[in-house]
Amino acid sequence: MAMTNYEFTRGLDYTSIVATSEKVAWTVDEVFRDRRFNATKNIVPDSWVRTQPLEFLNAEERRTLNHIRAFSYVHLFGNYEEFIPLQLNEIVVRDWHDDRARLRTLFRFGEEELKHQQLFLRAEAVLEESCGYRIGRYFDPDKECVTAFTEAVLAYPALPRFLLLAAFEWGSQRHYIESVRKRNGEGSDPLYVDILQSHWIEENQHTKTD
């Protein structure tokens, strides 16, 4: 599929993007450090769930829905991001003899997205361990649903795909900044805050590359 080098993509400081990415890099093990979520409290901000108006729910039921929302967030994001490394690889293969700094930026972008998928998968597992029950998933373990989603996304031209990717990245950053950072983590589990912050740090670099 032929793609276009748009004027607004030229002149980016790819060397600086890679340098910043290396400086702020983290590992999944560093984020978790054998920690668990505190299932006796809410894990994500109540604004993500909005159960207070539901008077027929008791406190325990509201808390359970909060935990399920915490799970659904990482579950959906982890699967939504599956198309991204394939998309970046497509660009790299097409422009393999391009500027080395630009290619390094795209490779690093893809590697970090794979790491994010591992981060969210770990969060799914630790959430279930912490809560003591299994939570339903939209995307199945056999990856039939996510494969269909990925193929559908990759069927579009590069520009709308990058716009979709940018929307995911800006959205996740806004969730963290407005719901968590501005509130100093109030109403959120400390481990979940660290997961969102780690994701935000690298997505901040990805928006530059987008």
Side-chain angles (χ1 to χ4, degrees):
M1 179 183 296
M3 288 179 285
T4 303
N5 286 320
Y6 294 95
E7 183 66 30
F8 58 77
T9 66
R10 297 170 188 166
L12 290 176
D13 186 355
Y14 293 109
T15 300
S16 176
I17 293 174
V18 171
T20 301
S21 175
E22 291 173 336
K23 182 178 180 180
V24 302
W26 46 267
T27 68
V28 174
D29 287 338
E30 287 172 348
V31 174
F32 281 89
R33 301 195 305 275
D34 296 321
R35 292 185 294 168
R36 294 166 64 94
F37 299 99
N38 184 354
T40 67
K41 298 180 179 180
N42 285 347
I43 294 176
V44 295
D46 186 63
S47 61
W48 286 24
V49 195
R50 300 190 184 280
T51 57
Q52 293 305 319
L54 306 179
E55 297 180 357
F56 57 88
L57 296 177
N58 60 37
E60 182 179 355
E61 291 168 337
R62 288 193 176 98
R63 188 166 59 249
T64 298
L65 283 177
N66 185 283
H67 297 171
I68 292 172
R69 181 68 182 97
F71 183 94
S72 70
Y73 189 84
V74 294
H75 175 66
L76 292 175
F77 251 106
N79 284 279
Y80 286 163
E81 292 189 344
E82 184 136 343
F83 80 92
I84 302 172
L86 290 170
Q87 172 167 319
L88 296 170
N89 182 67
E90 178 184 327
I91 303 299
V92 168
V93 169
R94 186 200 65 173
D95 295 332
W96 180 241
H97 299 292
D98 200 357
D99 177 70
R100 301 291 96 178
R102 176 174 179 266
L103 295 182
R104 279 195 66 200
T105 303
L106 294 171
F107 269 126
R108 190 164 185 85
F109 190 163
E111 190 277 330
E112 288 172 346
E113 291 295 351
L114 288 170
K115 181 174 65 172
H116 296 173
Q117 292 173 34
Q118 292 180 313
L119 176 76
F120 292 141
L121 279 173
R122 177 81 70 86
E124 286 187 24
V126 176
L127 274 164
E128 290 184 323
E129 292 171 4
S130 302
C131 295
Y133 52 80
R134 186 168 175 79
I135 301 174
R137 291 158 167 78
Y138 174 78
F139 291 101
D140 55 286
D142 293 334
K143 293 204 167 188
E144 293 182 4
C145 289
V146 74
T147 298
F149 171 77
T150 300
E151 290 176 350
V153 172
L154 293 177
Y156 285 92
L159 182 58
R161 282 188 262 143
F162 273 107
L163 291 173
L164 176 63
L165 174 52
F168 286 157
E169 290 164 346
W170 283 114
S172 65
Q173 290 182 73
R174 182 176 179 180
H175 293 161
Y176 168 70
I177 292 173
E178 294 186 357
S179 302
V180 179
R181 193 175 73 172
K182 285 185 177 180
R183 299 176 182 273
N184 296 317
E186 180 182 356
S188 304
D189 186 274
L191 174 54
Y192 209 90
V193 170
D194 287 349
I195 291 170
L196 295 177
Q197 182 183 41
S198 299
H199 187 237
W200 166 75
I201 286 172
E202 291 187 340
E203 294 289 52
N204 203 331
Q205 304 309 309
H206 295 174
T207 55
K208 301 174 185 177
T209 309
D210 276 347

